[in-house]
Amino acid sequence: MTTLPEYLKECGADDELASIISLIGAQAAPIRDAFISNQNYADSTNSSGETQAEMDTWSDTHITNVLAASGLVREVASEERDDIVKLSESAKYSVVMDPLDGSSLIKVNLCVGTIVGIYEGSCMQAGKDLKAAFYVLYGPMTTLTVSVGRGVAIFAQDKDGVYQMLKNHVKIPEGNLYGSGGVRTEWLGKHAKFVNRIENEGAKNRYSGSFVADFHQILQYGGVYAYPPSEKQPNGKLRLVFEVNPIGFLAVQAGGAVSNGTKTTLDIVPEEVHQRTIVYVGSHGMIAKIEATE
Ligand code: AHG
Ligand code: MN
Ligand code: MN
């Protein structure tokens, strides 16, 4: 079996890049341990105005401290912090992260995860310029799904904490699952038409409320994850830098696509670190259908 460090070396990732991926991956154990004593939802809100779970702030502080101590990271942009944190000025790479995605599911023990993107230079770049993206899922297994621009591979942690390869060359099939955020009665015309079309073509609804877990299913079974616009939230809910870019990069590396309904989100250079975007991510054919919907 191939381990994560062996895979990253085979892909030509340099030592710093491989070390950052392995280091964040290794935080799965302390993050899993922290769930039991951090079950509450705090009084605080994050920069997107959402109530923070104790685990949101715990994971954010923990990963940021580990990265600061490593000396390997220039900047960290996190969903849970207003501003970009400057760490080691001379380091080559910067990290963008959603330290805990799907946090409303913590108290019901459904699958949540950590989403990470790595850029050379600063954090505020287009998704297409990512040097690596990955996510760790805290499900029945702890898995790490990664791309360093050479396709996508999935690893699972063994009893010794080593990430062993489960699957290489992952390709999103042209499947028929869909999950859509938002409230159906608040969907705008284009999104409603699209969902109606794919349902008539046999698409089946599966949506958990954890982007990272819902995407992991789409990655392997095929279909589309969507968070559409509404009158109240014209740019949808998800954040371009921390959520949509890393997941979109992985989707494209797996032969799929990501779009705001009109064009790829991977070309957007962020103007504001917490900016939101409408997202459709998954099988190529599904993304072509939303882009073709008037
Ligand atoms: P986070 O937990 O990082 O704030 O992200 C939650 C996101 C995403 O994971 C999920 O798909 C979506 O919000 C769920 O929103 P709804 O409850 O509106 O469906
Ligand atoms: Mn999130
Ligand atoms: Mn989050």
Side-chain angles (χ1 to χ4, degrees), residues 50 79 98 100-103 207 209 211 225 227 237 243:
E50 293 161 353
E79 186 186 276
D98 180 349
L100 220 279
D101 178 63
S103 38
Y207 183 81
F211 178 42
Y225 173 96
Y227 212 107
K237 177 178 181 188
E243 293 165 315

Side-chain angles (χ1 to χ4, degrees), residues 7 35 48 103 127 170 188 198 205 208 212 235:
Y7 169 79
F35 279 117
S48 301
S103 38
V170 179
L188 304 178
I198 62 172
N205 186 7
S208 76
V212 65
N235 293 318

Side-chain angles (χ1 to χ4, degrees), residues 14 23 31 38 59-60 67 75 94 116 121 145 160 163 189 194 203 223 228 235 248 267 275-276 283:
D14 64 32
L23 186 61
I31 287 174
N38 290 279
S59 321
D60 173 61
L67 294 179
E75 298 174 357
S94 290
V116 180
T145 302
D160 301 316
Y163 283 100
F194 167 68
N235 293 318
D267 288 339
Q275 81 189 58
R276 297 178 196 265
S283 307

Side-chain angles (χ1 to χ4, degrees), residues 25-266:
Q27 303 319 308
I31 287 174
R32 272 196 180 280
D33 285 349
F35 279 117
I36 195 162
S37 49
N38 290 279
Q39 283 287 306
N40 295 321
Y41 290 76
D43 293 331
S44 54
T45 52
N46 66 16
S47 311
S48 301
E50 293 161 353
T51 304
Q52 289 174 308
E54 284 177 349
M55 268 315 284
D56 286 327
T57 42
W58 194 96
S59 321
D60 173 61
T61 306
H62 179 75
I63 298 171
T64 306
N65 287 346
V66 165
L67 294 179
S70 76
L72 290 166
V73 174
R74 186 187 296 194
E75 298 174 357
V76 179
S78 165
E79 186 186 276
E80 303 305 332
R81 287 176 194 255
D82 291 346
D83 300 314
I84 294 171
V85 184
K86 308 265 182 212
L87 296 177
S88 310
E89 213 179 316
S90 59
K92 182 171 175 185
Y93 293 108
S94 290
V95 166
V96 297
M97 65 172 177
D98 180 349
L100 220 279
D101 178 63
S103 38
S104 71
L105 301 180
I106 292 167
K107 71 175 175 191
V108 292
N109 196 30
L110 288 184
C111 191
V112 298
T114 298
I115 307 174
V116 180
I118 303 176
Y119 290 99
E120 194 173 330
S122 91
C123 290
M124 295 292 278
Q125 299 183 52
K128 67 173 164 37
D129 295 324
L130 279 160
K131 291 294 178 261
F134 67 100
Y135 56 82
V136 182
L137 271 187
Y138 312 109
M141 293 185 287
T142 300
T143 60
L144 190 151
T145 302
V146 64
S147 178
V148 288
R150 299 278 186 90
V152 175
I154 305 174
F155 296 82
Q157 243 185 355
D158 67 15
K159 61 178 177 20
D160 301 316
V162 178
Y163 283 100
Q164 305 280 357
M165 186 182 280
L166 284 183
K167 219 171 172 184
N168 199 359
H169 312 297
V170 179
K171 290 282 165 219
I172 305 186
E174 201 47 66
N176 230 0
L177 295 179
Y178 80 95
S180 173
V183 177
R184 188 175 274 264
T185 51
E186 293 175 5
W187 288 351
L188 304 178
K190 178 173 163 133
H191 182 69
K193 257 198 230 170
F194 167 68
V195 173
N196 199 27
R197 172 179 174 185
I198 62 172
E199 280 181 337
N200 283 327
E201 291 170 356
K204 178 171 157 182
N205 186 7
R206 280 190 182 177
Y207 183 81
S208 76
S210 164
F211 178 42
V212 65
D214 287 332
F215 174 73
H216 197 61
Q217 175 168 227
I218 298 294
L219 178 69
Q220 290 171 89
Y221 291 154
V224 62
Y225 173 96
Y227 212 107
S230 65
E231 294 285 352
K232 278 184 237 159
Q233 290 189 308
N235 293 318
K237 177 178 181 188
L238 298 194
R239 277 111 330 190
L240 176 70
V241 171
F242 321 114
E243 293 165 315
V244 173
N245 277 341
I247 297 286
F249 181 83
L250 284 157
V252 169
Q253 284 292 324
V258 62
S259 176
N260 61 6
T262 309
K263 58 179 173 44
T264 180
T265 49
L266 290 173

